[in-house]
Structures are given as C-alpha cells and as structure tokens.
Amino acid sequence: MNMKVLRCILLLALLLNARVMFSTSVVNQKDSIRISLLTCAPGDEVYSLFGHTAIRYQDPQQKLDIVFNYGMFSFKTPHFLWRFIKGETDYELGVNSYQDFASEYIYLERGVNEQILNLTSDEKNKLFQLLQENYRPQNRVYRYNYFFDNCATRPRDIIEESINGKIHYQNQISSKSFRDIVHEYTANYPWTRFGIDLCLGSQADLPITLRQEMFAPLYLQRSFESAVIKTNNNYSKKLILTTQNIIPEREDSITGKAAGVTPWQASLILFILVTSITIYGLKKRKSMWGVDLILFLSAGIIGCILTFLANFSEHPTVSPNYLLFVFHPFHIIVLPLIIYKGIKLQKCLYHILNSVVLTLFILLWALIPQRFDLAVLPLALSLLIRSASNYILAYNHNK
C-alpha cells in the first residue's frame, strides 16, 4: 500500500478517536452534574414549623456545590411586622455554599433529605439557567404567599419548567384542607395553632388539590418521590433517581410535646372564673363591670385584628371569618356605654343583641362552614354569660 495513503488512513483514525474521546469527556462532564431537591425538617420557630425546601446544584468539574434557597427574608426589613400582617412580605432567592447550608441545619439539629432528580443533560442545563435568571437582582425578590407562592412551590415550578415533557403525580385526589395540614405541623404547638386558627377563615376548610398540598415541603417531597416524567414521545421515567438522608434528624423532633397550659385549658379556667364572679355579682346585685371591661376590651381587640385581616390583608383564606360573630370591633365601640349602663344597673340593648348572636353561634356551631378551635367555645360562653347577667341585673333592678 502506498505510504502516503497509509499515513492518511492512520491520521484519520487518530482524529476520529480523538473526537470520540472528546465527546465522551463532554458527556461525562455533563453527566457528573447533579441537581437535587433538599427537604428540611420542621424547626421550633414559627416561621420554620412547616419545614423548608431548597435546590442543590453540584458540578464536580467546576468544583461547584451550591444551594438555591427561595426562603430568604429579614426581620430587619423596614415595617416588617406591619407588612407581614398585611400579607405584603417579600422573600427572595438566595444562593450559598452547601457547606454553609448544611452547617446551619446540623447546628439546628434539623434533618435534611436529598432527592436526586432524574434529569437529562439538557434539562439540567436549562434548570441551572433558570435558577441563574431567577437570581438576577431584578428577579430574585418575590411577593411571598403562604399557601400559593412560597419556598416549596417555587422550586417545584422551576423544576417543572425545565423538564422536556410533563411531571405526572401518582395521587391526584386529596381529602385534606389547608387547615388540616396546618394542624399537622402545629400539633405540638397549641398556642401557635390557636392563633393561626383565629386568623384563618372558612376558605381554609375547603378541600384542596394535591398540587395545593405541595405548599408544605414534606408533602412536596412525598409527591416527588412517586412522580414520573412523561416526554412528548410517550417515554416515561421516575422523577427521582435516589433519596438519601444527608443530615440526621434529632430524636425528639416528632415525639416532643409542648409543655404548659393549653388554649383550651386557659379558656376553660377563664370561663370558670367569669361564671363564678358573675354568680357572685347576681347574688350581691352588683354588675362587676371590671370583668366586662377586661373581657369585652380583649374581645374587641381580637375583633379589630380579624376585621383588618378579612378586609385589608393579602393573606389567603382569611376571609370570610365567622369568628367575627364572637370577636368584633363593636365590643370596643360600645364599651363605654356597657360600663356606664352596668354601673347604673340600666338595661343595655347591646347586651340583648350580643346574647342572641352568641346563642345562635353556639347552637349552630356544627353547621357553620368553618372549623373553630374548641377553646373558642368557653370564650364565647364567657361573653354570653356577661351580657345575659347584665340584662338580668338591670331587669331586676327596674322591676
């Protein structure tokens, strides 16, 4: 064979081999990239009771191991409390190293599970680009919505957007409501649950979809575990490659119970005290107006908060709230009249109206389309007893 031809053949073979080796290297580099969903166990603070979700990006070739976190906020933000009450809290996407992220959760003794996503190289690249785009200064801040746009729903949405196809979740039917899930996470924190129950209206008791359940990080993790990706050519594969616990959870995180007096116990004690003082006042023909001052003032303050939430707050599911029949601003508006009439032992129309409303509320308790904390019942009864006793005293005094 001609030596020139032989050399050309050998050169061509070397070039082809080099091209194959280069292509393999690129594929391996892309395949070495790993993106996963991190689900963090609940903490002890109010804002961490429901857990947390983040996205981890690992690229060994670039020595990158970072975490994208949509749950960043600061209590030092101007007018933070006022904005929170109004439902105008702004969160932002933060990025930090996995080492810093892990160190924080190890210190807090909050477990973290990692679900490695079963994505193609193109999908990984697209997801990373979307995350980078989200992290731009003009894009990273967003208006936080507790049930519909939070640190769990944002990772879910951006992962779905990056996939060439569609994610199908196995269980499409839910029998839960937002309040059901809130109760699950606040079971060991009765005062927190009581406060949230006061603020949530009847909309929180409506049945929700599986997708709406995913506002809670552990529910999102559970849905991802059984989900499959279906591409346009009818090919399907599991969304999650593997799941592993990368930070162990503290042993008492589930079994620990909150100590102290519960809202039910506190309201029952209050009811017994109010009833005892009222009986004493009826026997002595005294109005005991000091009790009315404390009781109706407190109920009126709570009513002002609930009225504001129902009418002006952007928080979801806070309106309508049927607790406004028990706690409302009119208690404060008519308070001077209540005290004056009580001292003079004169009839007060407000006490009659309040007695009727509270009686109907208690009788129709099971029919009202809103779930109430049981601690509300002794509180409503306390207000009812005070209104009824004032009317009875005035009636007997004017006979």
Side-chain angles (χ1 to χ4, degrees):
M1 183 182 291
N2 190 304
M3 290 298 295
K4 290 184 178 180
V5 175
L6 182 60
R7 288 175 180 174
C8 287
I9 293 173
L10 289 173
L11 181 60
L12 182 61
L14 288 172
L15 287 173
L16 288 173
N17 186 53
R19 183 177 179 182
V20 170
M21 290 179 64
F22 176 76
S23 299
T24 303
S25 175
V26 171
V27 171
N28 288 337
Q29 180 177 346
K30 288 184 178 179
D31 287 345
S32 67
I33 294 175
R34 190 165 71 171
I35 303 180
S36 53
L37 188 79
L38 302 180
T39 303
C40 312
D44 294 322
E45 302 296 334
V46 173
Y47 59 82
S48 64
L49 286 180
F50 297 85
H52 185 50
T53 299
I55 296 177
R56 182 182 183 184
Y57 178 86
Q58 296 172 270
D59 185 351
Q61 299 291 333
Q62 301 296 325
K63 296 183 179 179
L64 273 179
D65 192 356
I66 55 179
V67 175
F68 291 86
N69 178 3
Y70 283 95
M72 305 297 291
F73 71 95
S74 175
F75 288 116
K76 296 181 180 179
T77 303
H79 313 296
F80 177 85
L81 182 59
W82 172 248
R83 291 173 63 86
F84 178 80
I85 294 173
K86 290 181 65 180
E88 296 178 355
T89 309
D90 288 332
Y91 276 47
E92 66 178 84
L93 171 63
V95 179
N96 58 343
S97 70
Y98 172 74
Q99 184 176 2
D100 289 342
F101 179 87
S103 297
E104 178 182 356
Y105 281 88
I106 290 172
Y107 173 78
L108 295 173
E109 296 182 305
R110 292 173 59 186
V112 178
N113 286 328
E114 181 178 37
Q115 293 173 297
I116 300 172
L117 301 175
N118 187 16
L119 305 180
T120 64
S121 298
D122 289 339
E123 289 168 340
K124 293 175 185 178
N125 184 53
K126 183 178 180 180
L127 178 53
F128 188 51
Q129 288 178 348
L130 289 172
L131 288 167
Q132 288 178 305
E133 182 66 23
N134 270 199
Y135 190 60
R136 291 179 180 274
Q138 65 271 28
N139 298 332
R140 67 180 62 164
V141 178
Y142 69 99
R143 178 57 50 85
Y144 179 84
N145 187 304
Y146 181 73
F147 288 132
F148 301 107
D149 194 357
N150 63 15
C151 67
T153 62
R154 288 246 161 179
R156 176 202 63 192
D157 293 346
I158 202 169
I159 290 170
E160 290 179 342
E161 187 178 351
S162 68
I163 287 174
N164 181 25
K166 188 176 181 181
I167 298 179
H168 287 257
Y169 301 100
Q170 297 300 307
N171 299 316
Q172 297 296 332
I173 301 176
S174 171
S175 60
K176 296 182 181 293
S177 66
F178 284 126
R179 198 186 302 272
D180 288 329
I181 297 177
V182 168
H183 282 187
E184 287 181 26
Y185 285 91
T186 57
N188 295 338
Y189 302 86
W191 283 102
T192 299
R193 183 175 64 183
F194 177 68
I196 295 175
D197 269 343
L198 286 180
C199 296
L200 290 179
S202 59
Q203 294 292 315
D205 295 302
L206 297 175
I208 60 175
T209 65
L210 175 73
R211 188 170 188 81
Q212 289 174 319
E213 285 185 357
M214 297 180 199
F215 85 91
L218 294 181
Y219 277 79
L220 176 64
Q221 175 188 345
R222 193 179 308 161
S223 294
F224 266 35
E225 194 64 40
S226 59
V228 296
I229 300 173
K230 290 188 179 180
T231 61
N232 298 328
N233 57 1
N234 293 325
Y235 172 75
S236 64
K237 62 178 181 179
K238 295 190 68 175
L239 173 62
I240 302 300
L241 280 174
T242 59
T243 300
Q244 56 184 346
N245 179 251
I246 53 178
I247 297 176
E249 190 173 1
R250 65 186 183 191
E251 294 181 359
D252 65 340
S253 60
I254 298 176
T255 58
K257 293 289 183 180
V261 178
T262 66
W264 162 251
Q265 293 169 338
S267 64
L268 191 59
I269 292 171
L270 177 64
F271 170 70
I272 293 172
L273 287 174
V274 169
T275 302
S276 301
I277 294 173
T278 300
I279 293 173
Y280 173 82
L282 288 172
K283 289 181 177 180
K284 298 295 183 178
R285 295 183 178 271
K286 295 182 179 180
S287 67
M288 310 302 292
W289 59 268
V291 176
D292 295 332
L293 177 64
I294 297 172
L295 203 60
F296 284 92
L297 179 62
S298 301
I301 292 173
I302 296 173
C304 289
I305 296 173
L306 298 186
T307 300
F308 179 85
L309 288 173
N311 292 281
F312 303 105
S313 176
E314 294 182 19
H315 280 296
T317 69
V318 293
S319 178
N321 191 337
Y322 290 93
L323 279 175
L324 285 170
F325 285 109
V326 180
F327 310 105
H328 49 77
F330 290 110
H331 289 319
I332 292 180
I333 295 173
V334 301
L335 187 58
L337 179 63
I338 289 175
I339 301 303
Y340 176 80
K341 293 282 188 178
I343 294 174
K344 298 293 185 179
L345 294 179
Q346 297 176 355
K347 292 181 181 179
C348 181
L349 179 61
Y350 184 77
H351 283 309
I352 299 175
L353 295 175
N354 191 48
S355 297
V356 172
V357 171
L358 290 175
T359 299
L360 290 174
F361 177 84
I362 294 169
L363 292 176
L364 299 175
W365 176 286
L367 300 178
I368 299 175
Q370 179 176 333
R371 288 171 59 190
F372 307 109
D373 193 294
L374 193 59
V376 170
L377 184 57
L379 298 178
L381 285 170
S382 297
L383 291 168
L384 174 58
I385 286 173
R386 290 308 304 161
S387 284
S389 67
N390 274 279
Y391 179 78
I392 292 171
L393 277 174
Y395 177 81
N396 291 333
H397 180 74
N398 294 310
K399 279 175 48 172

